[in-house]
Amino acid sequence: DAKTTQPNSMESNEEEPVHLPCNHSTISGTDYIHWYRQLPSQGPEYVIHGLTSNVNNRMASLAIAEDRKSSTLILHRATLRDAAVYYCILRDHDMRFGAGTRLTVKP
Amino acid sequence: GAVVSQHPSWVICKSGTSVKIECRSLDFQATTMFWYRQFPKQSLMLMATSNEGSKATYEQGVEKDKFLINHASLTLSTLTVTSAHPEDSSFYICSATLAGGPDTQYFGPGTRLTVL
């Protein structure tokens, strides 16, 4: 199984950008990089995914390293509602979650 | 967007009873559904993967006779916790993959099970 490594926690100030890193040095050529987030007492929510090129959507941007061994989820302007646990996952045949990064947003 | 529902959202039961949790894809057909369990302050733990019309594939350490999974249609999967005990108390979450689409997972809101 391809594995991911993320920092346990990060803090950000409201209205500032947040860069959430993820290392996946054993990624295979066909693994998509998916990001999800989970608010307290809720199911995870899809954020973004990509394969090789950087991706943007209304929620976030995903920057993927050229060697694909790491990626960064970028929240351009953090809000209090972005406080959650963010999971970086390599989509192969199943969906095993790592510990994720708990993002705290300070007003 | 694709919506997944779970029912019930919470349930309290007595030890020794069985509890059924439903997972439905409301506006899409799901070829594969996943069941997770999450204990407080921990990450999601994959329990099993189920494909419509076939037997579920259970993760190592998950008892298939205790956690019965049925995936009878492309929009419904059920998880039955049989002879529940207090240690089975947890947050159970399902997810579904869009048939013929990318492998994005759409998650249900979760079911909080408390076994007394």
Side-chain angles (χ1 to χ4, degrees), chain B residues 1 16 26 32 38 41 47 53 63 65 72-73 92 103 106-107 110:
Chain B
L26 297 185
T32 304
Q38 185 175 35
K41 304 292 185 183
M47 298 176 67
E63 300 175 59
D65 294 330
S73 76
Y92 291 86
D103 289 334
Y106 299 96
F107 288 85

Side-chain angles (χ1 to χ4, degrees), chain A residues 12 29 47 90 96:
Chain A
S12 171
V47 178
L90 300 184
R96 293 189 178 89

Side-chain angles (χ1 to χ4, degrees), chain A residues 31-93:
Chain A
D31 284 332
Y32 278 81
I33 302 159
H34 285 243
W35 283 81
Y36 295 83
R37 71 180 185 182
Q38 186 180 24
L39 279 66
S41 298
Q42 295 186 27
E45 172 189 28
Y46 166 78
V47 178
I48 201 167
H49 77 283
L51 183 62
T52 55
S53 304
N54 294 342
V55 184
N56 300 296
N57 66 21
R58 63 176 180 81
M59 290 181 68
S61 295
L62 176 61
I64 301 173
E66 194 169 337
D67 63 5
R68 301 207 330 124
K69 294 185 176 182
S70 65
S71 61
T72 302
L73 179 71
I74 302 166
L75 306 179
H76 296 285
R77 289 181 64 197
T79 69
L80 297 178
R81 289 176 294 180
D82 291 323
V85 178
Y86 286 79
Y87 296 99
C88 165
I89 295 164
L90 300 184
R91 182 71 177 100
D92 43 24
H93 295 294

Side-chain angles (χ1 to χ4, degrees), chain A residues 18-33:
Chain A
V18 182
H19 291 232
L20 298 166
C22 181
N23 288 320
H24 29 79
S25 58
T26 59
I27 190 171
S28 71
T30 56
D31 284 332
Y32 278 81
I33 302 159

Side-chain angles (χ1 to χ4, degrees), chain B residues 21-98:
Chain B
I21 302 170
E22 291 186 350
C23 177
R24 293 182 184 272
S25 55
L26 297 185
D27 51 0
F28 67 101
Q29 292 186 326
T31 49
T32 304
M33 288 185 171
F34 301 88
W35 286 96
Y36 296 85
R37 177 166 57 177
Q38 185 175 35
F39 294 107
K41 304 292 185 183
Q42 295 186 22
S43 183
L44 285 77
M45 186 191 80
L46 180 66
M47 298 176 67
T49 302
S50 79
N51 292 295
E52 184 264 339
S54 60
K55 289 184 178 181
T57 301
Y58 290 82
E59 293 296 295
Q60 192 172 9
V62 178
E63 300 175 59
K64 62 180 181 180
D65 294 330
K66 180 170 182 62
F67 299 99
L68 302 178
I69 292 172
N70 183 278
H71 192 165
S73 76
L74 284 172
T75 60
L76 174 64
S77 177
T78 60
L79 167 68
T80 301
V81 183
T82 62
S83 186
H85 291 284
E87 57 265 30
D88 298 324
S89 298
S90 189
F91 193 48
Y92 291 86
I93 307 168
C94 72
S95 70
T97 300
L98 189 65

